[in-house]
Amino acid sequence: MDIAPPTQPAPSHTQGRWTIVGLLLVVQIFANIDRQVLNVLVEPVQAEFGLSNTVMGLLTGAAFSVFYAVLGVPLAMLADRANRRNMIAAAIAVWSAMTVLCGMAQSAAHLILARIGVAVGEAGAGPASHSIVSDLFAPKERATPMAVLAMGPNFGILFGFILGGLISAAFGWRAAFIAVGVPGLLVALIVVLGMREPKRGMADDILVDTDAPSLGLGDLMRTIAAKPSLLFIIMGFSCAGMFGYGTIAWITPFFHRSYGLSEGEIGPLIGLIVGIAGAVGTFAGGFLADRLGRRDVRWRLWIICIVGLGSVPLAVAAYLAQNQWLTLALMVLPASIAVFHAGPSFALLQGLVHVRLRAVGAAFLLFCLNVVGGGLGPLYVGIMTDLLEPSLGLEALRYALLSLAVPMLFSGLFYFLATRTLVRDLAAPHPET
């Protein structure tokens, strides 16, 4: 048997679960500080190594995202069987050490290799964290803690951009990498000492038979084929990621080239806007999805469609504005509402897949997000900027960023298509059972 009913209620189900969520949020914050700090250092790194916009798009995007995505699935398969807490602690130690090595890079090749090392470490933490949260919260209340976990990138941008910009301005870009990498080693120790491993499936009132055959990527593909709403959620999430990652990778160079601001001047401002507004929007997305979803589960996706599409005209207006303060002001609301999708998407995925596929399912969603969003988003903007520079000069980046509105529109369309079969797919048995 794959699943057996529990012999008695799990008393730990409600004990300390928000403490675990809080600790996992800290893990995600440090992961994203180390990932995002390069984005505020684009100009000094590009100048030191003499790189093109396309190569910088590769460095900020695919050099990290592809390896993160590819390794995420096998590591998630391990997380569905092994001790997830220990995996997360080991992952933190690896990416923190590799971030320090980024600051010691003597060439672009060295920096790319170190960034790949950061990706290898971070690939082991996300899916395991989502699996743990799913074992602590029932489906009807799961979007809110998932949204809290999804706030990690926003706070990571907040601290990464502020610290990266200020430290780089004072001590150079190498010092910025080292300063944000070292504290992660302490976080790894705290995870080992301060977090327990929950029983798998306990929030769903089931216990997983640990002797049952492992489920893997093939089983997940059969689930996706049988449940169209899951496929459309993945597609919508990926397109939204292309908008988000493409923007955050190039927003600091945009303000430098169009308005003459240094990374020390614009980094803290972007960190505050994207970090705080994005965190508010991410939490609001999960909270509203749980509240509205009590009436009709499809509201978990309808709310994404409404606010996500509403962010597009504001983002377009921000890039068309010719004043730096107006541009920043117009970015506040899109930075908030464009990330509503994170919590509900992760929560619905956990409900659509088998309990023993939760880490693999989260890893595959992150795989698509990082290949399409994190990989193609920054690279696309870099290529478009190089193509437009002969005719637009320094303003080429403005219009390359503006064109990211197109994938955001597709994201809204895919989420709407997911609502058409969501009710049926949530009620349907899993193909593996």
Side-chain angles (χ1 to χ4, degrees):
M1 291 178 62
D2 287 342
I3 302 173
T7 57
Q8 59 184 7
S12 60
H13 178 64
T14 60
Q15 294 174 357
R17 55 184 186 167
W18 280 106
T19 301
I20 295 177
V21 172
L23 184 53
L24 291 175
L25 172 61
V26 172
V27 171
Q28 292 302 309
I29 290 171
F30 273 84
N32 283 277
I33 289 174
D34 290 5
R35 175 193 292 204
Q36 298 293 347
V37 69
L38 176 60
N39 293 329
V40 78
L41 306 174
V42 166
E43 291 295 318
V45 171
Q46 187 173 15
E48 177 160 337
F49 295 131
L51 306 177
S52 69
N53 294 306
T54 299
V55 173
M56 284 307 301
L58 177 67
L59 187 58
T60 57
F64 178 95
S65 298
V66 170
F67 284 89
Y68 178 96
V70 170
L71 288 169
V73 174
L75 287 174
M77 293 175 66
L78 178 61
D80 275 327
R81 302 290 294 182
N83 186 291
R84 294 163 290 184
R85 179 200 61 193
N86 294 343
M87 281 191 63
I88 292 170
I92 300 168
V94 170
W95 85 57
S96 299
M98 289 298 167
T99 301
V100 172
L101 290 180
C102 285
M104 301 178 180
Q106 297 302 308
S107 68
H110 292 163
L111 186 56
I112 289 174
L113 289 174
R115 285 287 286 176
I116 291 172
V118 176
V120 171
E122 291 193 20
S129 297
H130 291 136
S131 177
I132 288 174
V133 170
S134 293
D135 286 335
L136 296 172
F137 294 85
K140 65 181 180 181
E141 57 180 355
R142 193 172 285 157
T144 299
M146 283 293 182
V148 170
L149 210 61
M151 290 163 63
N154 303 116
F155 287 125
I157 292 169
L158 171 65
F159 296 117
F161 271 61
I162 292 176
L163 293 174
L166 294 178
I167 295 173
S168 175
F171 304 104
W173 65 267
R174 296 180 184 279
F177 276 115
I178 296 171
V180 301
V182 171
L185 300 174
L186 176 60
V187 176
L189 180 62
I190 293 173
V191 168
V192 171
L193 299 177
M195 191 174 78
R196 60 180 172 81
E197 173 84 353
K199 294 181 179 179
R200 297 180 192 270
M202 70 179 191
D204 299 87
D205 294 324
I206 56 176
L207 292 180
V208 175
D209 182 358
T210 56
D211 295 324
S214 299
L215 299 179
L217 191 58
D219 300 291
L220 179 63
M221 292 300 103
R222 283 189 285 274
T223 300
I224 293 173
K227 299 183 176 184
S229 62
L230 181 54
L231 174 62
F232 285 124
I233 287 172
I234 293 170
M235 293 170 69
F237 197 92
S238 301
C239 287
M242 187 173 180
F243 173 87
Y245 279 112
T247 299
I248 202 62
W250 287 100
I251 194 64
T252 301
F254 162 66
F255 276 95
H256 175 75
R257 298 176 193 183
S258 293
Y259 299 120
L261 300 177
S262 70
E263 68 269 17
E265 294 171 317
I266 193 59
L269 292 175
I270 293 297
L272 287 169
I273 290 174
V274 177
I276 295 177
V280 170
T282 302
F283 180 80
F287 179 79
L288 289 175
D290 277 341
R291 292 295 295 271
L292 296 175
R294 295 172 187 171
R295 306 176 186 175
D296 188 325
V297 71
R298 290 171 294 181
W299 268 110
R300 295 175 181 264
L301 297 179
W302 284 334
I303 190 67
I304 296 174
C305 298
I306 293 170
V307 300
L309 293 177
S311 71
V312 172
L314 289 171
V316 170
Y319 289 119
L320 292 179
Q322 298 299 310
N323 177 276
Q324 63 196 46
W325 303 116
L326 180 58
T327 298
L328 282 169
L330 288 169
M331 284 182 173
V332 173
L333 194 56
S336 177
I337 63 179
V339 289
F340 261 57
H341 62 278
S345 297
F346 280 117
L348 285 171
L349 177 140
Q350 297 293 313
L352 287 164
V353 302
H354 192 283
V355 65
R356 289 193 291 114
L357 277 174
R358 283 176 171 170
V360 174
F364 186 74
L365 181 57
L366 290 170
F367 172 90
C368 296
L369 171 67
N370 280 279
V371 170
V372 178
L376 293 183
L379 180 60
Y380 163 80
V381 175
I383 293 172
M384 287 295 296
T385 303
D386 281 337
L387 292 175
L388 294 173
E389 266 188 349
S391 57
L392 296 176
L394 293 177
E395 290 296 282
L397 182 52
R398 179 191 298 272
Y399 291 95
L401 286 166
L402 191 152
S403 68
L404 287 173
V406 175
M408 196 63 184
L409 291 172
F410 274 102
S411 175
L413 172 63
F414 290 137
Y415 275 115
F416 174 75
L417 292 174
T419 65
R420 299 169 65 187
T421 60
L422 180 63
V423 176
R424 183 197 70 192
D425 293 343
L426 285 169
H430 300 295
E432 305 83 12
T433 58

